[in-house]
Amino acid sequence: MGFRGADLYELDSLLNEEQRLIRKTAREFVDEEVLPIIKGAFEVRRFPTELIPRLGELGFLGANLEGYGAAGVDELSYGLVMEELERGDSAIRSFASVQGGLVMWPIYTFGSEEQKERWLPRLARGEAVGCFGLTEPEFGSNPGGLQTRADRDGDYYVLNGVKTWITNATLADVALVWARTDEGIRGFLVERGTPGFTQAKIEHKMSLRTSDTGELVFTDCRIPAENMLPQAQGLKPALMCLNQARYSIAWGAVGAALACYEEARAYALERVQFGRPIGSFQLIQEKLAEMLTEITKAQLLVFRLAQLKEEGRADHVQISLAKRNNVAMAQMVARSAREILGANGITLDYQAVRHLMNLEAVKTYEGTHEIHTLILGEAITGLSAFK
Amino acid sequence: MKIVVCLKRVLDTQERVEIAPDGKRLVSTGLDYVMNTHDECAVEEAIRIKEAKGGQVTVLSLGPSGATETIREAIAMGADEGLLLEAEGDEEAWGPKSTASALAEALKGLEFDLVFFGLESGDGSHHQVGLAVAEALGLPAVDGVKKIDFQDGKIVVRRAVELGEEVFELEPPAVLTLVDGMNRPRHPSLRGIMLAKRKEIKTIKVAPREEPLRLIQLRKPPERAGGEILGEGKGAIPKLLEKLHEAGLVR
Ligand SMILES: Cc1cc2nc3c(=O)[nH]c(=O)nc-3n(C[C@H](O)[C@H](O)[C@H](O)COP(=O)(O)OP(=O)(O)OC[C@H]3O[C@@H](n4cnc5c(N)ncnc54)[C@H](O)[C@@H]3O)c2cc1C
Ligand SMILES: Cc1cc2nc3c(=O)[nH]c(=O)nc-3n(C[C@H](O)[C@H](O)[C@H](O)COP(=O)(O)OP(=O)(O)OC[C@H]3O[C@@H](n4cnc5c(N)ncnc54)[C@H](O)[C@@H]3O)c2cc1C
């Protein structure tokens, strides 16, 4: 039986024909190709690279872009795909968010025609993998201070510095790297194998274990000047990319929460203690009621956010609120689900603990929960607490 | 190879389906309709043949205007074009006979080497339409095909029978009804879905002919008695054997 998620406010009835079909494709892909392998992949910390061509074939990568081999779907459909992918695992959604929102979107928006033609079709088909290098060992929440240098030398730039906590770091065929030049921060496309560029994995993660997270190290790495994104100047373009990825996280978190909620609900109806299904106890019902309430609110948030984004009106405050709320919501739901599952809930035979662990990283990356609080605080008061 | 696939939009059986108060129709509490599963395999098979040998896949469906969604799904999978016969009149008037005669009429206006049907529909389960269309068009038909091969200009089809399989050689044009499970239908890609969205689907309104078959009443099967849990793991085996002996199922 295919997955059916709670939809108390009948948002499904607002989907049009193609949106329903797109979700169906994503849903069946997750049921048939992600869920059967994800437990093993998580346990041994392996990214299922065999899924990359499938993500490409099905058109999930950079799906909301037009042309260059991208599917050109609307923002709501894109959100629905992200929701389904994260129902599978946050790592699969992370892969797609980075490839689509943090690599393809900036090339599409800030790149030259040659850069677009060279990279977008291959990235869309999953024939090439991209990563996004902003964070550095000394600059996480404060990327504006980044220290990686790009110094002009004739027709080349020479890169020196370290990027860390980079999703897809070792899988990447191309890294979009943000570095400081004499004219301010600029974005550069660095290809795998360029002398002076090394890619290394971060080991021993307990969250997003399936995701490929690592370091990019640049030591006198010479790259042609035409690899710089011509239209991206300063930090703002990098932050604009984050809005794309944060949007997909806000949707994805709903998927993770639904996976946990539906599993816990089914378990509560079957598991008998004290002679009755545990679902009949008030304390369990309260948990389920909280879970459904928060999921429903989060669904309504992203649905409206999709409409705003489609109209080109979604601003960074609206996106921050949704990322912040929905990830915290998903964490609460995963934790409650874990509890309802009792001892079973600590094993990978059930989904809750995997999602719970994953969501720790999701809460931190793309702007920590706290930083989004400060973004909202600034929007509310006009006073910045962090700049 | 030009193939026409006839497909039907049916209620999603995953939805809670109830019998309508008049006792003659199924109604669903949900909104979902899906492509009939046998038909989905027929679409997949047709697309694979097109990919291997070239040609064209046309999908033809009789149903309400909403069935364009199902036709689009087939186009998103890789079919080239679609035609909807929009069924006018009462749902009751559209039995297997009137459906088959409307489809046969439409097929006379289409070019094809093969016509594919699903073995039967998930809702009506009459298992008649494909064969009735073949009859109306005077074409050879093989029912319940599980494999199609092409050898020296001949079409070789296999169908499962009780003790093995039957193998037929055909020359086009012919009608085949295909069984679910003969292949694994692909998921339409997002690119395919966006392409299908822009495709115009030709619609022809059709009125039912005489339908000799009348549905009198739908009835639910009797509730099955709840099972009995004999125990868990190995410990349950002796009791299970005892029960099977009692029932005369093992000796
Ligand atoms: C799995 C994973 C994948 C990632 N993928 C990428 C990627 O692909 N590309 C990329 O560039 N980066 C990526 N990151 C990095 C991520 O964006 C950073 O981890 C994040 O921005 C936080 O930075 P930090 O870890 O250095 O924490 P810090 O900035 O050191 O923050 C530590 C704590 O202090 C809090 N804090 C910081 N400043 C303030 C303040 N002013 N007021 C109150 N609290 C504050 C934070 O909220 C946090 O709780 C990834 C991280 C993870 C875990
Ligand atoms: C790592 C680990 C080590 C363990 N070691 C031991 C050991 O050494 N020896 C041993 O005997 N056991 C051990 N246990 C078992 C542990 O004590 C049980 O897991 C615990 O009692 C909960 O039982 P359960 O897992 O069957 O959950 P369940 O009893 O099925 O509970 C499921 C959920 O329902 C809730 N619930 C149940 N009844 C009610 C009610 N009436 N009202 C409201 N909510 C209710 C629970 O709080 C929980 O959220 C261990 C468990 C773990 C995870």
Side-chain angles (χ1 to χ4, degrees):
Chain A
M1 275 253 275
F3 180 79
R4 279 290 154 95
D7 177 28
L8 192 66
Y9 279 45
E10 297 183 10
L11 290 169
D12 279 5
S13 67
L14 301 177
L15 302 182
N16 66 27
E17 187 178 308
E18 103 230 12
Q19 290 160 347
R20 279 201 299 275
L21 195 48
I22 286 169
R23 199 216 3 227
K24 180 168 177 258
T25 285
R27 192 164 265 186
E28 291 175 356
F29 166 74
V30 168
D31 286 342
E32 293 163 17
E33 297 179 52
V34 178
L35 293 180
I37 56 137
I38 201 65
K39 166 183 159 186
F42 185 90
E43 191 136 45
V44 303
R45 287 186 283 119
R46 176 183 80 89
F47 185 83
T49 46
E50 67 274 22
L51 295 183
I52 300 173
R54 294 290 291 144
L55 293 166
E57 250 169 64
L58 292 172
F60 297 157
L61 303 173
N64 56 349
L65 306 179
E66 282 288 344
Y68 303 100
V73 307
D74 62 10
E75 296 292 348
L76 184 59
S77 301
Y78 184 64
L80 292 167
V81 171
M82 295 299 142
E83 175 180 340
E84 290 304 321
L85 294 182
E86 192 143 3
R87 180 170 68 78
D89 194 274
S90 301
I92 308 296
R93 199 271 308 137
S94 297
F95 178 92
S97 287
V98 168
Q99 180 101 337
L102 296 180
V103 182
M104 293 175 67
W105 186 84
I107 293 174
Y108 183 87
T109 310
F110 307 117
S112 65
E113 199 48 43
E114 296 75 55
Q115 290 166 343
K116 293 183 204 182
E117 306 255 336
R118 176 165 169 72
W119 289 110
L120 293 178
R122 292 171 61 201
L123 290 164
R125 297 219 163 258
E127 289 159 9
V129 174
C131 71
F132 177 87
L134 180 64
T135 304
E136 299 182 358
E138 306 301 329
F139 296 90
S141 294
N142 178 24
L146 65 84
Q147 286 182 332
T148 297
R149 288 284 318 172
D151 293 304
R152 184 91 196 206
D153 179 14
D155 289 341
Y156 288 82
Y157 277 92
V158 183
L159 259 65
N160 277 291
V162 178
K163 297 289 176 182
T164 191
W165 293 110
I166 306 307
T167 302
N168 298 349
T170 73
L171 289 171
D173 300 294
V174 60
L176 168 51
V177 181
W178 300 90
R180 197 171 290 284
T181 69
D182 287 341
E183 318 101 66
I185 293 172
R186 304 295 304 250
F188 297 88
L189 297 173
V190 185
E191 297 185 21
R192 169 190 287 284
T194 306
F197 172 36
T198 52
Q199 303 163 262
K201 204 171 172 114
I202 295 176
E203 301 286 356
H204 312 301
K205 282 180 302 166
M206 297 305 289
S207 174
L208 280 187
R209 287 167 64 87
T210 308
S211 188
D212 171 45
T213 316
E215 259 184 14
L216 312 175
V217 181
F218 305 94
T219 327
D220 293 331
C221 173
R222 290 170 69 82
I223 54 166
E226 69 256 23
N227 285 17
M228 185 169 78
L229 295 184
Q231 311 300 329
Q233 292 182 21
L235 186 65
K236 187 153 183 264
L239 300 181
M240 286 166 71
C241 300
L242 299 183
N243 274 337
Q244 302 302 312
R246 289 168 182 173
Y247 173 75
S248 61
I249 295 172
W251 273 97
V254 174
L258 278 174
C260 296
Y261 167 76
E262 292 299 343
E263 182 175 71
R265 189 176 67 91
Y267 190 87
L269 292 175
E270 270 174 22
R271 173 71 174 166
V272 173
Q273 287 293 285
F274 303 101
R276 291 193 284 163
I278 59 170
S280 68
F281 299 129
Q282 291 182 355
L283 292 178
I284 299 283
Q285 292 190 358
E286 188 195 20
K287 280 198 175 98
L288 292 170
E290 278 307 322
M291 291 158 91
L292 180 61
T293 304
E294 291 307 317
I295 287 172
T296 303
K297 284 150 69 176
Q299 286 172 323
L300 291 164
L301 258 183
V302 285
F303 201 96
R304 175 62 186 148
L305 187 60
Q307 294 174 332
L308 288 168
K309 194 161 187 293
E310 190 64 34
E311 293 166 18
R313 296 198 296 131
D315 72 18
H316 76 284
V317 181
Q318 291 162 334
I319 291 175
S320 277
L321 190 150
K323 192 269 181 185
R324 178 180 184 274
N325 179 78
N326 287 15
V327 176
M329 172 286 295
Q331 216 177 19
M332 181 282 283
V333 170
R335 182 168 297 120
S336 296
R338 216 292 305 140
E339 290 164 1
I340 291 172
L341 294 165
N344 283 323
I346 71 165
T347 72
L348 291 178
D349 294 337
Y350 291 83
Q351 304 172 63
V353 77
R354 176 168 52 79
H355 282 298
L356 185 57
M357 289 164 80
N358 282 340
L359 288 161
E360 290 295 327
V362 179
K363 205 174 185 185
T364 288
Y365 70 24
E366 293 292 337
T368 67
H369 187 81
E370 294 77 14
I371 292 298
H372 288 295
T373 310
L374 302 182
I375 290 172
L376 293 178
E378 181 186 26
I380 296 162
T381 63
L383 308 170
S384 174
F386 64 111
K387 279 178 195 154
Chain B
M1 185 86 16
K2 286 193 170 157
I3 304 174
V4 177
V5 184
C6 294
L7 57 81
K8 184 175 183 186
R9 183 183 90 146
V10 297
L11 273 179
D12 187 350
T13 47
Q14 219 181 294
E15 298 280 353
R16 257 168 51 106
V17 175
E18 292 289 340
I19 295 172
D22 68 5
K24 295 189 177 168
R25 283 169 303 123
L26 294 177
V27 287
S28 160
T29 47
L31 297 152
D32 277 17
Y33 289 90
V34 294
M35 196 187 301
N36 184 36
T37 42
H38 292 285
D39 303 354
E40 220 177 330
C41 291
V43 173
E44 175 65 30
E45 197 64 22
I47 295 169
R48 287 188 192 180
I49 293 169
K50 179 183 88 167
E51 284 168 352
K53 308 184 66 72
Q56 199 189 357
V57 177
T58 304
V59 290
L60 172 63
S61 184
L62 183 140
S65 60
T68 49
E69 178 167 359
T70 314
I71 293 176
R72 281 223 168 76
E73 184 172 352
I75 294 175
M77 286 169 75
D80 299 285
E81 53 180 38
L83 172 61
L84 173 70
L85 304 181
E86 193 179 335
E88 292 187 320
D90 218 11
E91 202 178 314
E92 272 177 69
W94 288 101
K97 177 95 183 183
S98 49
T99 302
S101 75
L103 290 172
E105 205 54 45
L107 281 163
K108 284 180 191 158
L110 299 173
E111 260 185 67
F112 57 82
D113 299 301
L114 291 173
V115 184
F116 286 179
F117 287 84
L119 182 76
E120 61 181 358
S121 60
D123 51 1
S125 306
H126 287 293
H127 191 163
Q128 293 186 21
V129 174
L131 298 177
V133 166
E135 182 64 23
L137 296 176
L139 294 178
V142 181
D143 190 41
V145 170
K146 59 166 194 171
K147 195 162 188 313
I148 303 173
D149 295 300
F150 294 88
Q151 281 163 14
D152 320 320
K154 290 237 161 61
I155 304 165
V156 180
V157 303
R158 284 158 214 273
R159 67 188 288 258
V161 290
E162 187 138 6
L163 292 172
E165 59 179 24
E166 286 177 354
V167 184
F168 294 88
E169 267 186 17
L170 301 161
E171 272 173 59
V175 172
L176 305 178
T177 78
L178 311 188
V179 291
D180 178 14
M182 73 182 297
N183 56 39
R184 212 172 139 184
R186 71 195 65 194
H187 302 305
S189 76
L190 272 50
R191 293 180 197 92
I193 293 170
M194 297 311 286
L195 224 67
K197 180 190 170 186
R198 291 187 276 269
K199 267 261 158 73
E200 203 200 323
I201 290 168
K202 225 172 99 186
T203 300
I204 301 171
K205 289 198 166 59
V206 290
R209 302 247 175 113
E210 94 299 354
E211 176 56 59
L213 211 58
R214 282 271 164 224
L215 177 76
I216 310 297
Q217 203 185 11
L218 288 168
R219 251 189 246 117
K220 274 194 189 175
E223 291 273 340
R224 287 202 296 178
E228 187 186 347
I229 293 169
L230 300 174
E232 266 184 43
K234 280 187 198 158
I237 293 175
K239 265 231 175 107
L240 179 62
L241 275 176
E242 200 179 299
K243 289 269 174 196
L244 291 172
H245 271 294
E246 272 173 31
L249 292 169
V250 291
R251 255 163 283 173

